Amino acid sequence: MRSKPLAGVRILDLTRLLPGPLATMHLADLGADVVKIEDTGAGDYARELGATRGGDSAYFMLINRNKRGLRLDLKNPAARDVFLKLTKGADVLVEQFRPGVMQRLGVGYDTLAAANPRLVYCSISGYGQSGPYRDRAGHDINYVGYAGVGDQIGAENGPPVIPNFQIADLLGGSLAPVMGILAALLDARVSGKGRYVDCAMTDAVLAHAVLPLSGLIEEGKPPERGAATLSGALPGYNVYRTRDQRYLAVGALEKKFWENLCEALGCPELKPEHEGRGERARRVKLRLAEIFAAQDRSYWVERLADKDCCVSPILTIEEALRDEQFRARGMVLESPAGEPIGIALPLQMSEFTFSVDRGPPGRGEHTDEILREAGYSEADIRSLRQSGAI
């Protein structure tokens, strides 16, 4: 059995909440030794977000597996010395503070790169390390708002709506950093020199706003909310309610899928309406809505399953966890009692088997173990603890 792809890579993780911790969990799942470093106070306050069952929140548990835990008070000089020593043996550092915080703590990129020239140092922030907004506070809703994506989300003639999927946090704060870290890490292995990786969540959203931007370039104005090709204009790319008040996602975008759908629904006369817009599209949507509303969702799922017309049920998260496709792919992680406890790494590769080798760490759970690996004696560790450094 081959080693995991990132076996031997040591990552120091100073992030908290959602974006950074999910990024480092993906890297940990791929075999990296991720050390989650929390301060000696509240630590990662994701631990308290939402309901808990005598311990950490489900939110925290979902994004922190396969990591080890260390507590350090970086405002303490002794703790900074420990951190610098750990950095010398690390390949990657990931932080998610506001710009300038790491420098004020004495552990900015220049300082750490001098101690370890091979270090890949990744900073995740809302607006990046430069520009007039760099020091502004923000959350996902602000980042998608600035990037022109929030304006696109909503129904036709209605206001923008709040997405319940954290687009900027996950795209810009998790996946973009993973991409940057892996690219810089590969280069460091070849060149012997690390890089500073500056990930702005807002930049990542803007960089992936392909359809709004293409609409602007083609038409000279942004697409109207809820009225673009993939946001509600077409009858064949839309959502329809069924008799039991459930919903179907219809994605018959290409002509062949649309024609298959029309045949399956017994309305072949609608085939010419594949790309109808405006009033034509409105009439076809009403016809499809009437058809779908005549039967329960389960009826349509069964009837259309083999018609090659891109129709699927809109599932709740509970239903998704029971779905046979995710089960077949091994995506659902469960407790011995059969309760959902997580989602597996969302990729598969040859000679690699995803595994949960350790659960999310308790606060500082592996502090002594990590310090011993770094060469600290038991007396050293006691002294650091007495000083409040750990």
Side-chain angles (χ1 to χ4, degrees):
M1 174 68 79
R2 291 173 63 178
S3 299
K4 292 185 178 182
L6 296 183
V9 174
R10 168 70 68 86
I11 298 174
L12 303 182
D13 177 14
L14 291 165
T15 66
R16 57 184 68 177
L17 293 176
L18 174 61
L22 183 59
T24 56
M25 187 182 78
H26 287 325
L27 298 170
D29 286 348
L30 288 166
D33 176 18
V34 175
V35 177
K36 182 176 182 65
I37 300 175
E38 299 176 76
D39 61 57
T40 54
D44 184 350
Y45 31 91
R47 292 181 184 273
E48 280 80 41
L49 285 180
T52 62
R53 296 182 180 179
D56 295 318
S57 69
Y59 175 81
F60 178 86
M61 300 292 282
L62 285 171
I63 55 177
N64 282 287
R65 65 171 176 250
N66 284 335
K67 305 176 185 179
R68 296 194 290 169
L70 169 69
R71 297 183 82 180
L72 278 180
D73 177 8
L74 290 178
K75 296 178 181 179
N76 184 310
R80 282 198 298 274
D81 290 341
V82 171
F83 187 72
L84 284 170
K85 187 169 184 177
L86 293 176
T87 298
K88 292 177 182 179
D91 300 287
V92 179
L93 179 142
V94 191
E95 61 93 6
Q96 195 180 302
F97 297 112
R98 285 204 203 186
V101 169
M102 291 290 281
Q103 288 80 359
R104 290 195 292 274
L105 289 172
V107 289
Y109 174 67
D110 291 340
T111 299
L112 298 189
N116 179 2
R118 297 172 63 91
L119 183 69
V120 173
Y121 189 121
C122 179
S123 294
I124 304 169
S125 63
Y127 303 106
Q129 304 298 306
S130 59
Y133 300 166
R134 58 162 273 170
D135 294 321
R136 291 187 182 182
H139 284 292
D140 189 90
I141 192 171
N142 307 114
Y143 311 144
V144 298
Y146 268 121
V149 170
D151 173 68
Q152 295 287 302
I153 302 173
E156 186 175 11
N157 298 320
V161 299
I162 302 171
N164 74 336
F165 185 87
Q166 286 64 50
I167 300 169
D169 285 354
L170 299 173
L171 175 63
S174 298
L175 297 185
V178 167
M179 175 176 67
I181 287 167
L182 292 178
L185 188 61
L186 179 62
D187 178 59
R189 292 290 173 93
V190 175
S191 68
K193 188 175 181 180
R195 291 178 185 266
Y196 182 69
V197 181
D198 174 5
C199 290
M201 290 181 257
T202 311
D203 288 354
V205 179
L206 180 63
H208 291 86
V210 176
L211 293 180
L213 182 56
S214 66
L216 175 63
I217 292 171
E218 292 170 2
E219 303 294 334
K221 60 180 181 179
E224 293 184 22
R225 185 180 312 118
T229 299
L230 299 184
S231 67
L234 298 180
Y237 199 87
N238 229 298
V239 171
Y240 295 94
R241 183 159 46 191
T242 57
R243 185 172 64 182
D244 54 350
Q245 306 302 305
R246 304 306 301 275
Y247 292 90
L248 294 169
V250 174
L253 193 59
E254 291 81 359
K255 185 178 181 181
K256 64 177 181 179
F257 297 133
W258 172 251
E259 292 183 347
N260 289 346
L261 177 64
C262 293
E263 286 288 346
L265 296 181
C267 49
E269 71 278 7
L270 295 181
K271 288 182 181 180
E273 304 298 329
H274 170 235
E275 293 186 342
R277 303 285 179 130
E279 183 58 26
R280 284 177 59 195
R282 188 187 70 82
R283 289 196 299 268
V284 177
K285 290 178 195 176
L286 290 174
R287 177 75 185 282
L288 292 186
E290 182 181 10
I291 293 171
F292 285 123
Q295 299 289 344
D296 290 349
R297 187 185 71 176
S298 59
Y299 169 86
W300 291 117
V301 170
E302 182 177 353
R303 176 171 170 175
L304 300 176
D306 61 351
K307 304 304 183 185
D308 201 31
C309 58
C310 301
V311 176
S312 61
I314 293 181
L315 303 179
T316 66
I317 187 64
E318 185 178 23
E319 291 170 326
L321 294 178
R322 295 196 300 264
D323 187 78
E324 60 183 349
Q325 175 65 20
F326 294 125
R327 293 282 174 169
R329 297 279 294 175
M331 286 300 297
V332 182
L333 306 180
E334 293 180 328
S335 70
E339 296 179 337
I341 57 172
I343 304 298
L345 181 71
L347 58 87
Q348 298 184 11
M349 64 177 72
S350 61
E351 299 183 73
F352 167 77
T353 301
F354 164 76
S355 61
V356 179
D357 299 318
R358 63 172 84 239
R363 289 181 174 87
E365 179 180 346
H366 306 95
T367 296
D368 291 14
E369 172 184 301
I370 293 165
L371 294 180
R372 283 194 293 266
E373 291 173 358
Y376 288 90
S377 67
E378 297 301 323
D380 294 333
I381 295 171
R382 283 196 301 272
S383 177
L384 288 168
R385 187 162 281 118
Q386 289 169 358
S387 73
I390 61 175

